[in-house]
Amino acid sequence: MAEYDLIAQSYLKTRQGVLCLPAEIYTFETMAGEIAGQSILELGCGEGFYTRKLKQKGAAKVLGIDLSEQMIELAKKQEAREPLGVEYLVRDALELGQIGGFDIVIATFLLNHAQTKEQLLKMCQSVAVNLKPGGRFMALNHNLELSPEFYPKLEKYGRRQTMRGLREEGTPISVTLFNATEKSTFTDFYLSQATYEWAFQQVGLKEIVWHPLLVSPEDIQKFGQAFWQDLMDYPIFVWIEGVKECQTSV
Ligand SMILES: C[S@@+](CC[C@H](N)C(=O)[O-])C[C@H]1O[C@@H](n2cnc3c(N)ncnc32)[C@H](O)[C@@H]1O
């Protein structure tokens, strides 16, 4: 049984209430540009928060895959309730193989499930074999450069996390998403930024850019500068972007 099979319902209830979600989405939209007409694969799509958003923005084809049957079940239920044409499959991103040729592959909070550089490389191979040459990969992830001593600064946004040991390759990070009535707890793993860059380069993902989260002028207006200041001062998340080179073997 996959880890998320046990927490699927509580994850759904807590994920969409994480208070820095507007900054995640705004940064993605600023970075991604035009989505309409693109074919998109999401690895580790969970209950489909981003897959639905991408289809609503006019993507031509969106396919979400996840290891957890329960998460895919939740995604399919939402698709049945409000059909958008998003497709879902239960698959392991560690051994996906080629299932298509997409303009864009995204992975939000998936790569930080890799416990070793070998696992990270396998996930990146799954990305690269499913991207068209020149296609883009965008991944939302822990900011690996942020010292764990600053993690408590982020609790005000509904996310508690603790590194369970020294900041070195493979150290587990316990994460709890919480709101007034629910919480969900799962385990991520630390791998260094250098290891991420190595894995991207190994599979032919170039032009790597690390984007800290941006807050839109509207959200600053809506919630106030003070609310966002900790996220700006202690950027806990980053979007990582890479482009698949035109000639590559993966
Ligand atoms: C933190 S959740 C993120 C879900 C969604 N992307 C989001 O942003 O809400 C991580 C997801 O990755 C999935 N996952 C973990 N390891 C995986 C793997 N090897 N292959 C596919 N999915 C995996 C989990 O089942 C879970 O749904």
Side-chain angles (χ1 to χ4, degrees):
M1 181 180 282
E3 180 187 21
Y4 282 76
D5 285 340
L6 301 169
I7 60 162
Q9 285 291 348
S10 57
Y11 184 83
L12 172 68
K13 289 181 187 150
T14 50
R15 168 69 167 118
Q16 295 180 14
V18 169
L19 300 179
C20 52
L21 194 56
E24 256 182 50
I25 296 167
Y26 178 66
T27 312
F28 174 74
E29 290 177 346
T30 307
M31 174 185 63
E34 188 58 70
I35 290 299
Q38 311 268 344
S39 58
I40 305 179
L41 170 66
E42 180 174 4
L43 303 181
C45 64
E47 47 76 33
F49 178 76
Y50 274 93
T51 50
R52 287 190 296 280
K53 198 160 264 313
L54 293 165
K55 200 73 177 71
Q56 283 160 343
K57 291 213 161 283
K61 173 185 170 71
V62 181
L63 170 62
I65 72 107
D66 200 283
L67 184 61
S68 160
E69 287 181 16
Q70 293 304 318
M71 293 297 257
I72 290 293
E73 196 56 37
L74 288 177
K76 285 184 173 171
K77 273 191 187 148
Q78 291 176 88
E79 174 66 23
R81 222 171 19 241
E82 193 185 330
L84 294 167
V86 182
E87 296 167 56
Y88 295 102
L89 294 171
V90 177
R91 291 283 186 285
D92 187 345
L94 289 172
E95 44 194 48
L96 186 60
Q98 186 169 18
I99 56 171
F102 294 82
D103 299 311
I104 295 174
V105 176
I106 75 163
T108 59
F109 298 121
L110 169 74
L111 298 184
N112 39 229
H113 283 283
Q115 303 185 29
T116 61
K117 65 189 282 198
E118 290 76 18
Q119 287 189 353
L120 184 63
L121 181 60
K122 284 185 177 184
M123 287 184 182
C124 290
Q125 280 165 339
S126 298
V127 171
V129 292
N130 286 294
L131 267 181
K132 291 178 183 165
R136 266 200 302 164
F137 177 46
M138 290 172 270
L140 180 62
N141 214 71
H142 287 264
N143 176 2
L144 308 159
E145 299 287 281
L146 183 73
S147 170
E149 70 185 286
F150 298 123
Y151 289 173
K153 294 272 183 197
L154 285 309
E155 292 192 11
K156 72 192 243 194
Y157 303 110
R159 184 178 170 111
R160 183 174 301 125
Q161 62 183 55
T162 318
M163 194 172 284
R164 300 202 318 248
L166 295 176
R167 186 159 41 144
E168 57 192 25
E169 302 298 88
T171 297
I173 303 173
S174 295
V175 180
T176 300
L177 307 185
F178 61 93
N179 57 37
T181 54
E182 287 283 340
K183 66 177 182 170
S184 59
T185 298
F186 48 91
T187 304
D188 289 342
F189 296 88
Y190 173 82
L191 293 171
S192 68
Q193 186 160 317
T195 298
Y196 274 70
E197 299 223 348
W198 166 82
F200 274 46
Q201 281 159 4
Q202 286 292 309
V203 302
L205 290 168
K206 306 289 181 196
E207 301 171 41
I208 304 164
V209 183
W210 298 75
H211 301 267
L213 294 196
L214 304 170
V215 182
S216 72
E218 292 75 27
D219 283 325
I220 292 183
Q221 180 84 21
K222 192 168 160 191
F223 299 97
Q225 179 72 31
F227 176 75
W228 294 113
Q229 200 58 50
D230 281 332
L231 188 68
M232 292 174 176
D233 291 343
Y234 308 100
I236 195 159
F237 305 136
V238 283
W239 277 98
I240 319 167
E241 189 184 5
V243 176
K244 180 176 171 175
E245 66 184 6
C246 289
Q247 293 291 322
T248 182
S249 57
V250 289

